[in-house]
Amino acid sequence: MTAAIDTQGPAIWRSPYPDTTSTLLHGEALLDPAAAGYKFSRLAELRAAEFAVPDLFAVPAAAFDRAVAPVLADLDAPPAAAEPEAVRSWSGKARAAVLSLEIGKELTDAVHTAFDDLIGPDGLAAVRACVVPGPGQLGEDSSTDPFAGLSDSFLYVPRADLLRRIVECWASAYNPEGVLYRLRRGTDPGAVRIAVGVQRMVLGVSSFVAFTRDPRDGADRVVVAAAYGIGEGVVQERADVDHYFTDRATGAVRKEIVVKRRMVGSPDEPAECEVPAELAEQPVLDDGALARVVETARRIEEYFGCPQDIEGTFSADGELWIVQSRPLADLPEQVVWTNHNITESYPGVSCALTYSLARDFYKTAFTDLYRRMGIPEARLRQNAHHLERMVGLREGRVYYRLDAWYALHGLMPEFEFIRGWWEHSMGLRTQPGMDLSPRWRGRALRTAPATLFRSAGHFRRVRGFLAWWDRTAAEAGDLESLDAQALVAFYRGLWADVGAQWGVTLTNTVLGIFPAAVYEGLLRRWTGTRHRALFGALLAGGPENRTLAGLRSALELSDLVCAQPEARDRILHAATDAEDAVVWQEITDGIYGPELADAALHQLRVYGDRAVGDLKLEQLTPRQRPGMLLDMVRPHLRQGTGADASRADERKVRADGERELREHCRNPLRRVIIRAFAARMRAHLKAREDTRFCRTELFGLSRRVLLRLGVLLAGAGRLDDPRDVLDLTVQEVLGAFDGTLPGSDLRALAALRRADRERWETLPAPSPRLVSLAGRPLDVARPATAASGDGDAADATDAADGENVLRGLASSAGVVRGRARVVLDPDVPADTCRDAILIARETDPGWLFLMTAARGLVVERGTLLSHTAVTGRLLGVPTVVAVADATTRIPDGALIELDGAAGTVRILAEEADP
């Protein structure tokens, strides 16, 4: 016997849920997930956003509430525990009770009328159930919880079967797997509501499921599974499926095409059948169809704001239809690591002591930055774990952990406006810019007063910082004569002060991005295609920064040596470190005159911490081996270049830039505005280079303390060799004297780490961009799939015009021909780069003596404001940065032509040297 139910009329049982409507839902009425369920409300949203979604209507959850309550009234309570037999028994009874229903006349007329209007009396429908959230409950396919409804769907449903299929959808609320799932989720297994969607059935000839992120590891690729026939073949794994993997960053596609024998067929036979022989070996999706799927998937993800699991089909006329889109459930959380510009400071393998000091530096300095940018202490405490993990270590290489940086920088209101430039500097985007969100103007107005206030007093604070640091460095004195207790006290006091001062150096970067963006934008608008060349040229000149002063001081030392032929010959003929040490002693003893001796000692005293890789504690600097200074001046002795020539080159770069500005920007007022922003940028760049030199000195002081403590540990028998201290962390070294070590065998610990370091140095460098899964060790990180070559995001111009032409970012104008000198390890004599074009992955300030010996500079990484670009402009040397794979594509010794204005590197056929 069956029970007749109508959605109108008196309610035999009062539903605990609001009766939002008892009529059918269509159009805007579908947008309410409390009535229609997320599955159908999402489809309605996509239709409203003009995606190709077949029309649909829904029987609301209110109809289900009214229908099922009476027939379940006498049923025993559902099981309280997830015991399979009890669940199956109760579910069977509940399903049988619901299946006994007959839909009353009013709802019958309504659904038939809607079917006829939207689908047609002779049409076919897809009839699907969706679990709808009640108060305090989860709903199927919600954006906050991937709740599985485990309810039924029916395809190719004709009008005559429509009512039966609706009732079967209602009954599927009590499918045993659904009941068991809800029990295991800790929810009431009987408190479930069902909306039923009725959608025009598209007669698909091929179907697909598209994931906008790789569901295996969360990687940034679109994964498409496609089969001939209807979508059930893909979803239920009843068809042979092709797979397509599209890298979203590069567009590269990997295909896994199989021989297809099975498909789920047509409406006449919606069961498994054979794939036509002529299609068996053909891809289900050709390149054009795949591109449409990927682009549509991208747009849907962008619309909903989260990764999506999308089902769709192609009809015989080639139309692409979307039949379902849900949040991608249980997506692994990715952690992205990059060393795009940190390798300027920490190239190659770094020892444990270097890494631990770098980690302390980032935590300490950036904590002060965020305080200075107005972040409350409570917010900093909440994000303390991010401050601890700003940098990580993979096979001895230092990497940025990007989620920590985004979380921390995102605390600053200004970050929205500088994010594009910051991402460009990190190699995450090809061009600087601003991606502003809606209502950004209001946020800009709220942010502007504090930003302008900080900018107004910024350079005064920079001067105060430099004065403090100069006093601190001068008062350090002879650290090597202190005992362990005094060394530890000095070190801790030094870094406590760093924590209160160093944020000034980083606010310079934040505040400098605003004038940089305006300056670049004005040049682009008012000078057209010459904006890149002018960007650098107009920044030349101005007050000398400390980095450049160190270089010119060395050039002045070279001038004094040239005036002493005997000293010049001694330096040029010294071939070993030991010989350099002897010659250095002769110079400082005054054998070649007091003026030269004083200049050499001045260079060592003021600039003795500056060297290649000077932030790496394992690298010696002139402070430890003064003879290194001679290797730095040799190229200039051979070339005859001096400080005056360097200054003249810089003046010429600026003069050429001013002349070109007048040619390409005829409006005098516009030129005044451009010059004003260029002057502001020169001030920020000077502050950056001045404070970076202070960072070199900070690490120099730290090196002196920690290496001296290594000597004391070795003397006490705790280490075999003083330099074994390099394979301990800073806290372990200090803890050995503070008594805070959890163990005592430093010797074994250092030996273990040294073995790791030596092994890492024999391995190929890991990818510059890595991806790991949250909660897993970085040791199992893999190269980011977006990586190509070195993994850095490259300019659109990075692609070669041909086999012999490479393109990058034009950074310092000029055309030069010469032999390529490929340098992977900067610890080479500077003289080897004399008259050559230096090819490197990246540079840091310690490369200056290689750079000044070269006739041109080409690096694989960098931006218009990176160290290589700035230095190339200061030296007047043609420079191109961001040249992908330059160190592998340009043979060492090849004859090349570098055009610093066009951003090109041309490998020439062998001919007479220029």
Side-chain angles (χ1 to χ4, degrees):
M1 183 175 179
T2 60
I5 287 292
D6 204 307
T7 58
Q8 302 294 329
I12 300 173
W13 171 78
R14 185 176 298 279
S15 169
Y17 307 112
D19 188 3
T20 54
T21 179
S22 56
T23 60
L24 299 184
L25 306 175
H26 180 251
E28 290 186 3
L30 283 166
L31 296 176
D32 180 8
Y38 288 107
K39 182 183 296 184
F40 307 126
S41 68
R42 288 175 179 278
L43 289 175
E45 283 192 68
L46 291 176
R47 273 186 62 83
E50 299 185 348
F51 287 90
V53 175
D55 206 354
L56 72 156
F57 66 90
V59 180
F64 172 85
D65 295 339
R66 291 176 179 271
V68 301
V71 299
L72 296 182
D74 296 329
L75 197 66
D76 294 337
E83 203 285 313
E85 286 305 318
V87 167
R88 276 193 288 269
S89 174
W90 186 86
S91 296
K93 295 174 183 177
R95 281 180 50 81
V98 177
L99 288 171
S100 70
L101 290 171
E102 281 187 0
I103 297 178
K105 182 179 185 306
E106 188 165 352
L107 182 56
T108 297
D109 291 345
V111 297
H112 282 158
T113 300
F115 190 99
D116 294 344
D117 290 345
L118 300 181
I119 299 171
D122 298 324
L124 298 170
V127 181
R128 298 185 175 93
C130 178
V131 175
V132 176
Q137 293 185 349
L138 299 170
E140 184 177 355
D141 295 343
S142 75
S143 60
T144 57
D145 193 307
F147 186 85
L150 299 175
S151 49
D152 290 345
S153 296
F154 304 95
L155 303 180
Y156 299 108
V157 177
R159 186 181 191 274
D161 294 340
L162 180 59
L163 299 181
R164 177 169 60 89
R165 293 305 193 191
I166 290 173
V167 172
E168 288 175 338
C169 283
W170 285 348
S172 71
Y174 306 107
N175 285 346
E177 58 271 24
V179 173
L180 190 64
Y181 176 78
R182 291 191 288 276
L183 280 169
R184 289 177 173 170
R185 293 278 305 220
T187 62
D188 183 348
V192 61
R193 312 176 71 211
I194 291 289
V196 179
V198 181
Q199 186 173 33
R200 180 172 65 83
M201 188 73 205
V202 175
L203 305 183
V205 296
S206 62
S207 302
F208 62 86
V209 174
F211 302 98
T212 62
R213 293 290 189 277
D214 193 320
R216 301 168 300 177
D217 57 11
D220 192 16
R221 66 173 76 92
V222 178
V223 179
V224 178
Y228 291 116
I230 65 176
E232 298 303 288
V234 181
V235 176
Q236 299 178 5
E237 300 180 356
R238 296 167 58 194
D240 294 318
V241 175
D242 289 342
H243 287 88
Y244 307 82
F245 305 86
T246 302
D247 187 299
R248 286 159 57 112
T250 66
V253 177
R254 180 171 64 85
K255 303 176 182 179
E256 294 181 2
I257 308 300
V258 301
V259 176
K260 289 161 285 293
R261 296 183 174 88
R262 298 177 304 151
M263 60 184 283
V264 177
S266 66
D268 297 327
E269 190 182 4
E272 290 185 25
C273 57
E274 290 188 2
V275 173
E278 66 274 14
L279 298 178
E281 297 185 10
Q282 297 297 317
V284 175
L285 303 178
D286 61 23
D287 290 346
L290 176 63
R292 291 171 63 195
V293 171
V294 170
E295 174 60 17
T296 300
R298 182 198 65 78
R299 290 172 52 221
I300 291 175
E301 180 187 73
E302 184 177 87
Y303 177 81
F304 285 121
C306 66
Q308 296 288 301
D309 168 1
I310 300 163
E311 296 178 27
T313 191
F314 282 94
S315 54
D317 59 2
E319 185 71 24
L320 186 159
W321 295 92
I322 299 301
V323 297
Q324 190 156 292
S325 185
R326 63 173 70 87
L328 190 51
D330 299 323
L331 188 67
E333 182 183 350
Q334 282 194 323
V335 178
V336 180
W337 307 78
T338 180
N339 67 3
H340 176 79
N341 65 16
I342 202 171
T343 51
E344 293 183 5
S345 302
Y346 304 101
V349 173
S350 295
C351 67
L353 194 65
T354 290
Y355 167 65
S356 63
L357 185 64
R359 186 165 167 263
D360 287 347
F361 175 78
Y362 280 100
K363 174 186 174 182
T364 302
F366 278 89
T367 297
D368 190 38
L369 164 69
Y370 299 131
R371 287 194 188 106
R372 291 173 181 271
M373 297 303 293
I375 309 304
E377 288 292 335
R379 298 289 302 280
L380 290 177
R381 287 194 297 272
Q382 291 169 358
N383 287 273
H385 61 295
H386 289 310
L387 288 162
E388 294 283 355
R389 61 186 188 183
M390 297 180 77
V391 292
L393 199 67
R394 164 68 171 168
E395 293 181 355
R397 271 77 174 187
V398 182
Y399 283 81
Y400 294 126
R401 178 174 172 140
L402 288 182
D403 62 340
W405 287 81
Y406 277 113
L408 292 167
H409 278 9
L411 299 174
M412 298 186 293
E414 294 85 353
F415 186 56
E416 175 180 357
F417 306 100
I418 67 172
R419 176 172 176 161
W421 282 76
W422 176 79
E423 288 178 340
H424 178 53
S425 73
M426 298 286 277
L428 304 177
R429 61 162 63 200
T430 60
Q431 291 290 332
M434 292 186 182
D435 296 330
L436 299 176
S437 60
R439 296 188 294 276
W440 67 270
R441 291 180 177 83
R443 282 188 288 276
L445 290 173
R446 291 192 296 272
T447 303
T451 303
L452 291 172
F453 174 79
R454 294 185 184 103
S455 295
H458 173 64
F459 293 113
R460 173 178 53 80
R461 287 187 286 273
V462 169
R463 290 191 295 272
F465 168 85
L466 293 173
W468 162 78
W469 177 252
D470 289 342
R471 289 194 305 272
T472 299
E475 292 168 359
D478 182 12
L479 296 175
E480 287 70 21
S481 67
L482 299 181
D483 61 19
Q485 184 174 350
L487 285 169
V488 171
F490 170 82
Y491 185 91
R492 293 198 183 282
L494 171 66
W495 279 86
D497 289 343
V498 166
Q501 297 282 349
W502 218 268
V504 173
T505 72
L506 302 173
T507 57
N508 182 71
T509 300
V510 173
L511 298 176
I513 289 178
F514 293 102
V518 176
Y519 173 56
E520 193 271 344
L522 293 178
L523 284 174
R524 183 187 296 272
R525 176 177 296 181
W526 291 343
T527 66
T529 59
R530 299 301 299 164
H531 73 278
R532 285 186 174 175
L534 284 168
F535 185 98
L538 296 177
L539 296 181
E544 195 170 68
N545 65 61
R546 297 187 179 199
T547 296
L548 192 55
L551 170 64
R552 287 176 176 160
S553 176
L555 293 175
E556 290 168 352
L557 179 61
S558 300
D559 292 340
L560 292 174
V561 171
C562 287
Q564 298 283 342
E566 185 179 355
R568 180 180 182 277
D569 290 343
R570 286 283 285 144
I571 293 173
L572 291 178
H573 288 91
T576 66
D577 291 346
E579 291 175 354
D580 279 346
V582 171
V583 176
W584 174 262
Q585 193 63 49
E586 292 174 355
I587 291 173
T588 56
D589 284 346
I591 292 177
Y592 305 108
E595 186 178 11
L596 181 56
D598 290 344
L601 291 172
H602 171 80
Q603 184 73 22
L604 178 63
R605 183 176 64 256
V606 178
Y607 303 107
D609 292 311
R610 177 51 57 88
V612 172
D614 51 31
L615 300 189
K616 298 182 66 172
L617 303 187
E618 59 268 44
Q619 298 294 330
L620 295 178
T621 68
R623 191 78 65 191
Q624 288 78 47
R625 187 164 65 83
M628 293 174 66
L629 289 174
L630 302 185
D631 192 47
M632 296 177 180
V633 302
R634 279 193 188 93
H636 309 294
L637 296 180
R638 290 193 172 97
Q639 293 173 328
T641 56
D644 290 341
S646 171
R647 293 185 178 94
D649 288 342
E650 187 180 7
R651 288 193 296 270
K652 183 177 184 303
V653 170
R654 175 71 172 278
D656 290 346
E658 290 287 350
R659 183 179 63 255
E660 193 165 354
L661 177 64
R662 289 191 294 273
E663 292 175 2
H664 293 276
C665 181
R666 299 291 185 178
N667 187 307
L669 179 58
R670 290 180 174 179
R671 292 200 300 270
V672 169
I673 296 172
I674 287 174
R675 290 188 185 109
F677 278 99
R680 184 76 181 186
M681 279 303 303
R682 283 195 296 273
H684 277 288
L685 290 174
K686 181 182 185 302
R688 186 184 77 165
E689 293 304 313
D690 285 346
T691 56
R692 287 180 108 183
F693 186 81
C694 296
R695 183 184 61 177
T696 290
E697 293 184 307
L698 170 64
F699 276 64
L701 287 176
S702 300
R703 178 187 288 105
R704 291 168 61 191
V705 170
L706 295 168
L707 292 184
R708 178 59 185 164
L709 290 175
V711 171
L712 297 177
L713 285 171
R718 301 291 297 279
L719 295 175
D720 291 329
D721 184 273
R723 286 187 67 81
D724 286 349
V725 75
L726 297 173
D727 294 300
L728 302 176
T729 67
V730 171
Q731 292 307 314
E732 288 165 351
V733 175
L734 301 180
F737 295 97
D738 286 341
T740 56
L741 281 181
S744 59
D745 195 355
L746 294 178
R747 182 183 289 105
L749 182 59
L752 180 65
R753 289 199 184 127
R754 182 172 63 253
D756 280 341
R757 178 162 54 92
E758 291 171 351
R759 177 173 57 85
W760 291 333
E761 287 170 347
T762 67
L763 300 177
S767 170
R769 194 171 183 187
L770 301 174
V771 171
S772 64
L773 298 182
R776 299 189 186 180
L778 180 56
D779 280 347
V780 297
R782 57 171 173 76
T785 56
S788 174
D790 71 354
D792 296 331
D795 194 338
T797 61
D798 282 349
D801 285 354
E803 184 177 352
N804 295 322
V805 180
L806 287 73
R807 288 185 174 272
L809 195 59
S811 301
S812 180
V815 178
V816 63
R817 286 190 177 190
R819 296 287 175 183
R821 177 67 171 99
V822 179
V823 179
L824 302 180
D825 180 356
D827 192 18
V828 299
D831 197 39
T832 61
C833 296
R834 182 164 59 91
D835 294 330
I837 296 175
L838 176 63
I839 315 293
R841 292 194 180 102
E842 70 280 314
T843 71
D844 65 20
W847 287 67
L848 272 173
F849 292 94
L850 300 182
M851 298 165 78
T852 56
R855 301 178 65 190
L857 307 175
V858 176
V859 295
E860 293 181 345
R861 304 173 186 173
T863 68
L864 289 172
L865 296 177
S866 66
H867 176 263
T868 305
V870 171
T871 303
R873 293 190 291 266
L874 289 173
L875 299 178
V877 175
T879 303
V880 180
V881 303
V883 181
D885 303 323
T887 60
T888 55
R889 296 173 64 186
I890 301 175
D892 189 40
L895 184 65
I896 63 175
E897 180 178 271
L898 168 63
D899 187 331
T904 58
V905 183
R906 188 180 303 275
I907 303 173
L908 303 174
E910 287 300 319
E911 57 184 52
D913 285 358

